[in-house]
Amino acid sequence: MSISPGGFSDPSWRPDSGGGSGRPRLFTLVLLVAVLALAGATAYLFTTLQATQSRLTAANEKLQAHDEQIAKLEDSVLRTSKQAEQNISTLRGEVSSTKGQISQATKQVESQVLSKTEQLTQKLSAEHKAEVAKVGSEVEQLKSATNATETKLGSLTGDVTGVKNDVSQTKNELQKTIAELKSVRGDLGVQSGLVATNGTELAALKRLGERNYFEFDLKKVKQPQKVGNITLRLKGTDTKRNKYTLELIADDKLTEKKDKNLNEPVQFYVAKAKIPYEIVVNQVGKDRIVGYLATPKDQGR
């Protein structure tokens, strides 16, 4: 289809022929919508372009700011690097100086140590000679003392032998004395322990160690006398018949022992004791008796 200057080339097409008068209006309407759409699109593109330009401008400003910061950082790093190089150079100088001082001080110390060592060596050498001489003198003294000690040991050996003989003799005498001692019945009818009649026999009993022994020399006085863990008071003596009478207090209990004989075991019990205490009088004088008290070793037995 071609269009002539005067209108449409197709003579069959006329506004008022065939299709009626509605077609040109529709074409005009479509053309108007297309123009409006194109205008809208152009406006949208323009707005979008302006927004993009604004964003690009902001991005350029940020890039410029970043470039400035990078430039500052590069400058700071450069200055820091220079300062670090200066500090390292200074430290190297100080280290070199310190090494020199240490080397000098070391040489001085070595010199002083060598000097002191030589002095000590000389001193020790002199002292060693003196000490050797002193030790030699002490060795001679020890030899003399050893000879004297050997002489004394020979003498002591003889003394020890004599002591052993004396001990053996004493032991034999003790055994003989104990064998001669007798056990008799006491005034309570209880068989007594061995009875000593004099100081020698009492000493033998003490060495035997079967009982505790407390010696006494009792006079006729008002105040009682403490013997062991009891109390005794002499009331009277009969020298012609070798008899005596006394009072004893044991466990706060007063007991009278009347007309007792010489070397007779006078017996009595105390608390916790299963065997009786014994009083033996070896001497009877005027208003005076001498003897001992024998008590069990373990009163709980």
Side-chain angles (χ1 to χ4, degrees), residues 207-274:
R207 296 182 66 177
L208 188 62
E210 292 182 350
R211 290 192 177 190
N212 300 315
Y213 295 93
F214 304 91
E215 298 182 65
F216 61 80
D217 186 342
L218 196 64
K219 296 180 176 60
K220 184 180 178 181
V221 293
K222 292 183 179 181
Q223 296 298 327
Q225 179 178 331
K226 186 78 171 178
V227 179
N229 61 343
I230 66 170
T231 302
L232 300 177
R233 186 171 77 88
L234 180 63
K235 295 188 67 176
T237 59
D238 184 347
T239 55
K240 290 183 179 180
R241 296 188 301 161
N242 282 328
K243 291 182 177 291
Y244 64 93
T245 299
L246 60 75
E247 291 179 345
L248 65 91
I249 300 174
D251 296 333
D252 297 326
K253 181 181 178 181
L254 176 64
T255 303
E256 183 182 63
K257 295 292 186 177
K258 188 174 182 180
D259 292 333
K260 296 303 174 182
N261 296 314
L262 190 70
N263 297 325
E264 176 188 4
V266 177
Q267 299 173 330
F268 61 94
Y269 285 95
V270 300
K272 297 182 181 180
K274 293 185 179 181

Side-chain angles (χ1 to χ4, degrees), residues 20-264:
S21 60
R23 289 183 178 179
R25 292 179 181 175
L26 179 60
F27 178 77
T28 303
L29 181 61
V30 171
L31 183 62
L32 180 60
V33 170
V35 170
L36 289 175
L38 180 61
T42 302
Y44 173 76
L45 290 173
F46 179 77
T47 302
T48 302
L49 180 61
Q50 285 184 338
T52 302
Q53 288 178 347
S54 298
R55 291 175 183 171
L56 288 173
T57 302
N60 287 331
E61 290 177 354
K62 288 183 179 179
L63 287 174
Q64 289 178 359
H66 288 163
D67 289 340
E68 292 176 357
Q69 290 179 355
I70 290 171
K72 291 180 180 180
L73 289 173
E74 288 177 348
D75 183 60
S76 176
V77 168
L78 182 60
R79 283 187 279 107
T80 302
S81 177
K82 290 181 179 180
Q83 184 65 37
E85 289 178 357
Q86 292 177 358
N87 292 339
I88 291 172
S89 179
T90 302
L91 288 173
R92 285 176 178 172
E94 292 178 355
V95 168
S96 178
S97 176
T98 303
K99 285 183 177 178
Q101 293 176 1
I102 291 173
S103 177
Q104 184 178 359
T106 302
K107 290 179 180 179
Q108 292 178 354
V109 170
E110 288 177 352
S111 177
Q112 292 176 359
V113 169
L114 289 174
S115 177
K116 191 67 175 178
T117 302
E118 290 178 357
Q119 293 177 3
L120 289 174
T121 302
Q122 294 175 358
K123 182 178 179 181
L124 288 174
S125 177
E127 291 179 352
H128 179 68
K129 291 179 180 179
E131 190 67 24
V132 169
K134 182 179 179 181
V135 170
S137 176
E138 291 178 352
V139 168
E140 293 298 327
Q141 293 178 2
L142 285 173
K143 287 181 178 179
S144 300
T146 301
N147 293 332
T149 302
E150 290 177 352
T151 302
K152 290 181 180 179
L153 284 175
S155 177
L156 288 174
T157 301
D159 293 341
V160 169
T161 302
V163 169
K164 286 182 178 179
N165 294 332
D166 292 342
V167 169
S168 179
Q169 183 178 356
T170 301
K171 184 177 180 180
N172 293 333
E173 292 177 354
L174 175 61
Q175 291 175 348
K176 181 179 178 181
T177 300
I178 292 173
E180 292 175 352
L181 296 178
K182 295 180 180 180
S183 175
V184 298
R185 288 187 180 276
D187 62 340
L188 295 182
V190 179
Q191 190 70 26
S192 72
L194 298 176
V195 176
T197 60
N198 53 52
T200 300
E201 293 176 350
L202 181 58
L205 289 179
K206 287 182 178 180
R207 296 182 66 177
L208 188 62
E210 292 182 350
R211 290 192 177 190
N212 300 315
Y213 295 93
F214 304 91
E215 298 182 65
F216 61 80
D217 186 342
L218 196 64
K219 296 180 176 60
K220 184 180 178 181
V221 293
K222 292 183 179 181
Q223 296 298 327
Q225 179 178 331
K226 186 78 171 178
V227 179
N229 61 343
I230 66 170
T231 302
L232 300 177
R233 186 171 77 88
L234 180 63
K235 295 188 67 176
T237 59
D238 184 347
T239 55
K240 290 183 179 180
R241 296 188 301 161
N242 282 328
K243 291 182 177 291
Y244 64 93
T245 299
L246 60 75
E247 291 179 345
L248 65 91
I249 300 174
D251 296 333
D252 297 326
K253 181 181 178 181
L254 176 64
T255 303
E256 183 182 63
K257 295 292 186 177
K258 188 174 182 180
D259 292 333
K260 296 303 174 182
N261 296 314
L262 190 70
N263 297 325
E264 176 188 4

